[in-house]
C-alpha cells in the first residue's frame, strides 16, 4: 500500500526533488539574483534532467506547463502559503489530490508544521490527502518542518529526528527534513523514520565542495536523497550541478569525482 | 486545462473587464456622482460594448439581467463583502461556480487578500472554486489584493509582483492587480505572473490623457488589459471612453489617437 | 430565474408579509399586551386574510399548523435566534430549504446582519439557502438589517439604502428593510435595490393615521409593500387593519379612505 | 409531520420520561447514594414499568442493553457532555439520529442551552437532528435549558416560558423545562409552547407528598407529564414511586390517592 | 451491536494491548534507553506473541508492516498528536475508520481528553469514528484520559471512575484508563464502566514484582486486562514479560508463579 519503488519518484530507491515553489512561499524576491528563473519555463527545462525524480511545484505552475513536459516527474505540492501573512505557521491546501492526479502528478507533497498551533488541523488535512493519494497510488512526501510557538532551534538533532518520525507515524512515504548539522544526527533521523525514506532539505550554501560533501554525508547517513531549490536552479550551470548530484546520489560517486562535473 | 484563449474573456488575447460590484463593496454612496448608474440596467447597456470581454457583477445583479443581455460577456464575481463590516480583510463566497455556470457566466472572479489573517481560508475557498471552474472550462480571474495586518503600502512594486505571482501559483488564469506606480514595476509584475495574464486595476483619476497613458504603459509593460469601473460607467460618455480603451488595448493605438474618441 | 410574479408572495406585484416569529426573537414577553396572540392558531386565523401574501413563521410553528391552513401563504423564516443570547449579531439557520418546501412554503426568509462580525458567515449561509431556493422556485426575502460593531444608527438613509442594495447584490428577490425616516430616503433605498423589490418593515406606532400614512408614503416611494407584525396581530381588530392595509397597498386607496375600515 | 400521539412516547397523550444520563453529565458521583444504580441494568429494569414512555439514555447505554429490553421505550439522548469541562455551556452530539433509529429508539432528545455563546451552533445541530428525526417519524424532545453568560436565575417564569416557546419555534414535539416555581408560571410556559407538549423536569426533593403535589400541579397547569431521574431510580422503591406517578399523570388520581402506592 | 467477544481483541474475554505510538506522542526520545525499539520491526516481532490481542499503532506504522504480520492483531490508533505542540489537550484524527479496516485492523483506538476545552469536538469526532466502526464490526477502545483546564490530579479515583463511565456512555467497547492507585478505586472504575470492559494503562515502574502485582490487582478488581508499552518492549526480555503477563491476565496465575517467567 506504500507506493514508492515503482513510481517515478524513486530511481533505484533514490530521490532528487527539485523544488520550485519559492514564488508562492517567498515571492518574486527569491528570483532576484537570477532573474530568468522567475520564468517557470526556465526551471521546467532544468527539471527535464534525468536526475530529477520529483519536480515540486504548486498547482498553477503545474497546470500551465505539465502538458508540454511529459518527461518531467511532477511532484504536486498540495499546500503552501505566502509570507505576506505572518501568523502562527499554517499552510493552505491549494490543490486536491484528485486534481493533482488529473494534472499528471507522479507524487504529491504536503507541509506539516509540527508544534504549530495549527498542527492538529494540518495533520487532519494531511490524513485526507494521504488517504486519497493511496487511491491513486501516488507516493506522499511530507515537508516535515517543526515550527511555531516555543520551537526556537528547529534544526536540533532531536527536533529533526522527531520530524522524521512524525512523517512515518502519519503515513508519509518520504520525509523531507532539514539537515540537522551532522552526519550522526542525520543517521538518527533516518533511523527514526524507519521504513519512511528521508531526503535532506537545503544544506550548506558555502562552496560547491562543502555542499556536495553535506549531500554525500546525508546519503552515507542513510538518506535516500536531496530536495534542492535555488542551489540548483539559480546557478549559472544548473544542469552541471545536477550531473554532480546525480553522481553523488545515484552513482555513489565520491565528492571529488562529482566535483569534476562543475 | 487553462482556459482563456478560446473564451469570451479574451479578444485576441486581450482583456477588458468592466467591474460593477461597487454596490456590494462600497454601497450606494459610490453611485452618488452619477445617480443613474445605481440602476444596473444603465451599466449593463454600457457592458454591451464590444470592448468589454468581462462584465464583473455579483450573483444578484447577474440573475436579474443576464437573460436579457446575451451579448454581454458575463464575469461572475464569486466572492465579495460590504464595507459595513470592518474587520481583518475577508470576503464571503456569495455564488457557487455551478450556479455561475448556470447563469451563463463565461468567466469567474475571486478576491484573495494575501497577507490577511484570512488568507489561508480564502486560498482554500479559491481552490474549490478554481477546480470547479476547470470542470466548466471557465477562466478564473483573481483579484489579487494583498491587504491586512502589517501590509501598509499595498501598491509597492514588490507587493504587486508578489500578488501577480500568487495568482499564477494558485492557478488563476488572469491576475487583476493594482497599478504599481511605474511601467518598470508593471513589467516586473507581468514577468512574475509568467503564463498568467495580468490586467491592471484602476489607474490614475486625473485627466483622460493621464489615464489612457497609464493603460497604454501597462499594455506596453505586458499586461493584457484593464479592469475598470467608475472611470468608465460614471462618465457622461462611457461608450466613448470604451472606444478609446478599445483602441489602446486591442488595436495598439497611441494615446494620442485614442484621445480622439473622447 | 428570479421567481416572484407568479408566486403567492406577489399579489399584482405587491407584498404584505405578516411576521410572527416574535416568540423566538423576543420571547413570550412580546405577547403580553394581547395574551391570546401567544396561541399561534389565533394568528394563523388572521393570516388567512386575502391581503397576506406571506405569513412569516419559524419551522416549528409551520409544522404544527400548515396542514390545516392551506389558504395561508407560508413564508418560512429560515434563520432566527433568541435574545437570551447577547453577543455580536448572528442568527441560527433553523430550517433547511428542502424541508421548508416540504412544509409547503411558497417563499422563504433569511436575516442578514450586514456589518456584524458574523456577516461573512451569514452571507455564505444565505448563498446556500438562496441557491437551493432557486431549485424549488421559491422567492427569497432578505431581512436586511445592518447591525453590530460600529453601526449605531441603523436606520439612517445611507445604511438602509446599503441594506437594500446588499439584498440585490446577493440575490434576494425581496428586501425587507427598516423605514429610513422619510419618503425621500425610502425612494433612495428602492432605487438602490433596483430589480429587487423592497418592503418596509415596522413603521410608526403612534396613531392609525400616522401608521397608514407611513405605509402609503413607502408605497409612493416605490416599495411594493409592508412587513408587519404586532401592529396587526396585537390589535383588537387585526382583520380590519388588514382591510385598511389591503386598500393602501393593493388598491392604491388614500389614507383617508383606508381609515374607514378601522 | 409532528409525530407524537401514535408513538410510544405518548400514552393517551401523556409522557413520563425516566432520565438516566447522569453518568455522563455528572459522573459516577451521582450514584453514590444508591450504588447499585451505577449498574445500568438496575435502571433498565425499572424502566420496564408501564408508566415509562421514554427511557432517556446516551448511545453507549442504549447499545449495551436495548436488545434485551424490547419492552422499554427507548428515548435516545443525542447530545450531552461531562462536567469535567467547565466552559460556556455546550453539548457534544454523541449519536446520529440514523444510528438512534437503528438502535430501536422510539424518540430522541436534544439539549439546547438558550443564551449560551454556543446557542447558534447548538440550534443548527438541532436543526439537522430534528429534520432527520422527521424522516424516521421519531418525536423530538428538547431539553430546553437557558444557561450561560448573563443568565443567572434560569428558573424564573419568564425564562422558562421563553424556553418552552423556543422548543415550539424550533420544531420540538416536546419541551422539557425546569419547574418555574408555581402553577401559574407553569401554565404560562404551557401556553407559550402552544402545540408543543411540555414536561416538567425535576421538582421538589423534599417529601413524597410535596413532590407529587408539584407533579400534580404541573399536570393541572397543562403539562403532559414529567421527566424524572434520581427521584425515582435512587429510591428504595422505584417501582412504587412509578406507580404513584402513573396514577397522577395518566389516571388523574389525587395526590392523596397516589400516596397510597408508597 | 457491541463487538468484542468474537474479535481478536478478546481472548477468552481478556485483553492485552501492546501500545507503540510513542514515536508520535513523545518522539524518538522515548526510544533512547533501548535504541533498537525505534525500529518498528523489532516491536512488531514482539507483538506476534500470543498474549497480545491488540497492537496499537498509528496509520503509518500499520501501513508499512501489517502485510508482513498477518498473525499480529492490529489495533489502529485513530488519533494522536506530537508533543511539539503544547496547547490545551487535543488530538488529530490521523486515520479514517474505513482506511483502518482496509489495513486489516481488528480493533480501533481513540483518545478522549475529558475536561479539555476540546472535549466537545473530540467527542463528536469519536461519534463519527465509533459509528463507522460499528459498520465494520470493529471494537472501539477509548483512551479515556481526563486532562486540561482545571484537572490537576488526573488519576484520582473519582476522575478515573468518571473516565471509565464516559467510555460507556459514549459507546466505547473498552475503556483504557490510568491505574487509580488502589484496587478499591479500580473496582469502582470497573463498576462505573458497567458493560464496557476496562483495561489498566501503565502501572508501577519499580520492580517486576510490583508491576505484576498491580496488574494482578487490576484483574482482581474486574479489569479485563492491560495496555502496556515501554514496560514490555523496552525490556531486554520482552517476550518473557509477555509470558508473565499472559499468565496473570489469561491464566489467573499468581504473581509468584508469573515471576518464574522472568
Amino acid at each position: 500500500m506504500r507506493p514508492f519503488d515503482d513510481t517515478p519518484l524513486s530511481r533505484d530507491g533514490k530521490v532528487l526533488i527539485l523544488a520550485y515553489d519559492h514564488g508562492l512561499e517567498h515571492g518574486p524576491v527569491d528570483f532576484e539574483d537570477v532573474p530568468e528563473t522567475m520564468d517557470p519555463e526556465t526551471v521546467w527545462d532544468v527539471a527535464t534532467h534525468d536526475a530529477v525524480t520529483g519536480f515540486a511545484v504548486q498547482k498553477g505552475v503545474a497546470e500551465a506547463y505539465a502538458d508540454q513536459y511529459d518527461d518531467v516527474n511532477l511532484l504536486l505540492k498540495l499546500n503552501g502559503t505566502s509570507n505576506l501573512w505572518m501568523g502562527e505557521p499554517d499552510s493552505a491546501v491549494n490543490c486536491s489530490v484528485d486534481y493533482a492526479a488529473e494534472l499528471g502528478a507522479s507524487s504529491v507533497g504536503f507541509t506539516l508544521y509540527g508544534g504549530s498551533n495549527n498542527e492538529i488541523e494540518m495533520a487532519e488535512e494531511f490524513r485526507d490527502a494521504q488517504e486519497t493519494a493511496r487511491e491513486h497510488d501516488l507516493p506522499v512526501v511530507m515537508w516535515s518542518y517543526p515550527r511555531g510557538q516555543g520551537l526556537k532551534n528547529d534544526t536540533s538533532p532531536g527536533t529533526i529526528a522527531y520530524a522524521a518520525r512524525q512523517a512515518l507515524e502519519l503515513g508519509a512515504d518520504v520525509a523531507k527534513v532539514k539537515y540537522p548539522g551532522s552526519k550522526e544526527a542525520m543517521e538518527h533521523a533516518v533511523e527514526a523514520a524507519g521504513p519512511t525514506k528521508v531526503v535532506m532539505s537545503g544544506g550548506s550554501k558555502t562552496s560547491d565542495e562543502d555542499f556536495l560533501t553535506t549531500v554525500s554525508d546525508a546519503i552515507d547517513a542513510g538518506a535516500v536523497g536531496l530536495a534542492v531549490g535555488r542551489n540548483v536552479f539559480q546557478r549559472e550551470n544548473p544542469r552541471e550541478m545536477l550531473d554532480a548530484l546525480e553522481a553523488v546520489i545515484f552513482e555513489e560517486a565520491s565528492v571529488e569525482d562529482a566535483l569534476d562535473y562543475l
Side-chain angles (χ1 to χ4, degrees), chain A residues 77-81 85 88-98 108-114 116-134 140-142 170-172:
Chain A
K77 182 77 195 312
L78 301 173
N79 62 355
T81 307
W85 177 71
E88 180 72 4
D90 199 355
S91 194
V93 182
N94 298 315
C95 187
S96 70
V97 173
D98 287 340
V108 293
F110 201 101
T111 295
L112 182 82
Y113 292 128
S116 161
N117 277 327
N118 299 307
E119 176 182 335
I120 301 284
E121 187 192 353
M122 296 182 86
E124 299 190 340
E125 292 170 338
F126 177 78
R127 173 200 65 220
D128 287 340
Q130 193 258 13
E131 296 188 7
T132 309
R134 289 293 180 250
V140 180
V141 181
M142 183 186 281
L170 300 183

Side-chain angles (χ1 to χ4, degrees), chain A residues 22-212:
Chain A
H22 307 69
L24 178 63
E25 299 283 345
H26 307 148
V29 71
D30 253 33
F31 305 122
E32 274 179 11
D33 290 344
V34 189
E36 60 269 27
T37 61
M38 191 148 76
D39 180 357
E41 205 160 353
T42 309
V43 189
W44 275 88
D45 284 341
V46 174
T48 58
H49 192 290
D50 277 350
V52 179
T53 66
F55 181 44
V57 293
Q58 290 283 329
K59 175 167 68 175
V61 173
E63 274 184 325
Y65 297 96
D67 282 353
Q68 302 136 254
Y69 289 93
D70 282 350
D71 50 339
V72 167
N73 299 311
L74 177 62
L75 188 171
L76 209 304
K77 182 77 195 312
L78 301 173
N79 62 355
T81 307
S82 82
N83 67 13
L84 292 165
W85 177 71
M86 289 164 298
E88 180 72 4
D90 199 355
S91 194
V93 182
N94 298 315
C95 187
S96 70
V97 173
D98 287 340
Y99 193 60
E102 211 176 296
L103 289 173
S106 51
S107 59
V108 293
F110 201 101
T111 295
L112 182 82
Y113 292 128
S116 161
N117 277 327
N118 299 307
E119 176 182 335
I120 301 284
E121 187 192 353
M122 296 182 86
E124 299 190 340
E125 292 170 338
F126 177 78
R127 173 200 65 220
D128 287 340
Q130 193 258 13
E131 296 188 7
T132 309
R134 289 293 180 250
E135 295 169 15
H136 292 283
D137 288 319
L138 291 172
V140 180
V141 181
M142 183 186 281
W143 271 233
S144 194
Y145 287 0
R147 191 174 297 177
Q149 284 184 329
L151 274 169
K152 285 167 189 158
N153 178 11
D154 63 359
T155 58
S156 70
T159 298
I160 299 303
Y162 204 156
R165 183 72 181 197
Q166 242 184 325
L168 161 62
E169 300 270 344
L170 300 183
D173 301 293
V174 177
K176 176 172 178 284
V177 298
K178 296 263 171 75
Y179 189 70
S182 74
K183 197 167 156 179
E184 291 66 37
M186 195 67 184
E187 265 172 17
H188 185 54
V190 168
E191 281 163 16
T196 289
K197 319 295 182 195
V198 174
V199 297
M200 166 190 137
S201 174
S204 165
K205 277 191 160 181
T206 50
S207 68
D208 289 350
E209 186 172 353
D210 283 356
F211 176 53
L212 290 175

